[in-house]
């Protein structure tokens, strides 16, 4: 019986170690997922900022516009047939 109890304790310790390994592995995977998601957000934010800066450099008057005025202007510009002809047909 003593040996059986000792075997059970050893199994328990081994299983505890495995559990910690799996928990650590899961934590690493979660961190990797957050890293990639954060990276995509940062890329998008960078793209939006640089394109907004490009618009302001080409048309400095947009700095003084409200957001609504700017969106109305952008909508009118992108509705023009000449501009539509310059845009990719597949939307991206």
């Amino acid at each position: 019986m003593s040996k059986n109890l000792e075997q059970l304790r050893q199994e328990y310790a081994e299983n505890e170690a495995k559990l910690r390994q799996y928990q650590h592995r899961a934590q690493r995977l979660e961190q990797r997922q957050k890293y990639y998601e954060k990276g995509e957000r940062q890329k998008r934010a960078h793209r939006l900022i640089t394109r907004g800066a490009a618009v302001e450099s080409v048309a400095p008057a947009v700095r003084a516009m409200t957001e609504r005025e700017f969106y109305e202007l952008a909508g009118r510009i992108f509705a023009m047939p000449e501009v539509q002809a310059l845009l990719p047909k597949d939307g991206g």
Side-chain angles (χ1 to χ4, degrees), residues 72-87 89:
E72 185 177 326
L73 173 65
R76 287 184 179 188
I77 290 171
F78 285 102
M80 298 173 76
E82 309 88 67
V83 176
Q84 288 290 320
L86 296 172
L87 295 173
K89 301 296 180 217

Side-chain angles (χ1 to χ4, degrees), residues 32-44:
R32 184 181 297 162
Q33 180 181 4
K34 287 179 188 177
Y35 171 79
Y36 287 125
E37 289 172 356
K38 182 179 177 186
E40 290 303 314
R41 284 194 312 268
Q42 287 176 335
K43 287 177 190 175
R44 180 177 185 271

